[in-house]
Amino acid sequence: MSIRHSLLALLQDQPRYGYQLRVEFENRTGSAWPLNIGQVYTTLDRLERDGLVSKDGSDGEGHVIYSITATGKADVQGWFAAPVERNNPPRNELAIKLALAVTLPGVDVQAVIQAQRVVSIRALQDYTKARRDTTASARSADTAWLLVLDSLIFQTEAEVRWLDLCEARMIQQAQSAGKAAARKPSNGVTADEAAPLIADNRK
């Protein structure tokens, strides 16, 4: 998530201080990705250092107001115009967890998958209910939140389907391993391994 460009976009709308930026960001995205206020001010310091924003005095209550510069406007316009790159996808903790689980002994992969599926389906139900409630209100201000909800719903649906695929793959592997073990005689040589030896002996 580009906090840098999100803050620039909000400053392009109008000058604001840090806490206002945080509140505006969370209001417009339905608080799906809450921001830490320290993170906001750290990002503003970097934006000022890079000449993308400037301090615009205070509001009389001790809040420093930030304004976007011409360079900042060009930067955020470029961000809106460019597609989001997929070359380096963000780390997916669930995918990493399952990738490690299947390679380590003693981890019940089926249990990991099932526990996640329960949480993912519950989240999907919550997102779907929130979308239904938001759609019923029919306020134009809710359009941004509906876009975020749709994104969350599609991502969660894909996650549940992926978990189903992971479980099916684990079952298939277990069945294949069981068949291989059943075919293996007491001498430890499988039928596939023995076939070429038998053929050589018959020559």
Side-chain angles (χ1 to χ4, degrees):
M1 178 177 68
S2 178
I3 298 171
R4 164 194 177 100
H5 287 110
S6 299
L7 297 185
L8 281 175
L10 290 170
L11 287 173
Q12 186 175 242
D13 183 33
Q14 69 179 60
R16 291 183 167 94
Y17 57 85
Y19 185 75
Q20 287 176 323
L21 287 167
R22 176 191 177 193
V23 170
E24 281 298 316
F25 176 83
E26 293 184 359
N27 283 346
R28 296 181 193 217
T29 59
S31 299
W33 304 280
L35 288 182
N36 179 289
I37 190 64
Q39 194 176 22
V40 172
Y41 280 108
T42 299
T43 304
L44 286 170
D45 287 342
R46 289 177 184 154
L47 291 171
E48 184 185 18
R49 178 200 65 195
D50 296 340
L52 302 175
V53 304
S54 61
K55 289 179 180 172
D56 205 18
S58 84
D59 64 352
E61 297 180 8
H63 302 121
V64 177
I65 305 295
Y66 290 85
S67 296
I68 192 168
T69 64
T71 306
K73 287 180 181 178
D75 194 75
V76 77
Q77 286 166 6
W79 178 61
F80 280 125
V84 175
E85 292 291 335
R86 305 298 295 176
N87 296 337
N88 296 306
R91 287 188 183 93
N92 183 321
E93 183 180 349
L94 177 57
I96 293 169
K97 182 192 288 189
L98 284 177
L100 293 174
V102 299
T103 61
L104 295 171
V107 179
D108 187 343
V109 181
Q110 296 278 14
V112 174
I113 292 171
Q114 184 55 32
Q116 186 62 47
R117 184 188 284 110
V118 169
V119 171
S120 299
I121 289 174
R122 187 180 303 127
L124 184 57
Q125 291 168 340
D126 291 342
Y127 295 147
T128 303
K129 181 181 182 302
R131 182 173 63 178
R132 188 169 53 247
D133 294 345
T134 305
T135 304
S137 71
R139 294 178 303 185
S140 59
D142 291 329
T143 302
W145 177 220
L146 282 172
L147 291 176
V148 171
L149 279 172
D150 285 338
S151 174
L152 293 172
I153 287 168
F154 290 142
Q155 289 173 28
T156 310
E157 285 175 341
E159 182 173 283
V160 171
R161 288 198 304 271
W162 177 70
L163 288 168
D164 291 342
L165 177 63
C166 291
E167 184 175 52
R169 187 162 286 154
M170 295 301 102
I171 292 170
Q172 186 178 33
Q173 276 187 348
Q175 289 172 343
S176 297
K179 288 176 183 176
R183 286 198 309 268
K184 199 162 190 173
S186 58
N187 63 7
V189 180
T190 66
D192 291 339
E193 293 167 340
L197 300 175
I198 294 169
D200 288 342
N201 289 335
R202 287 177 177 170
K203 289 179 180 176

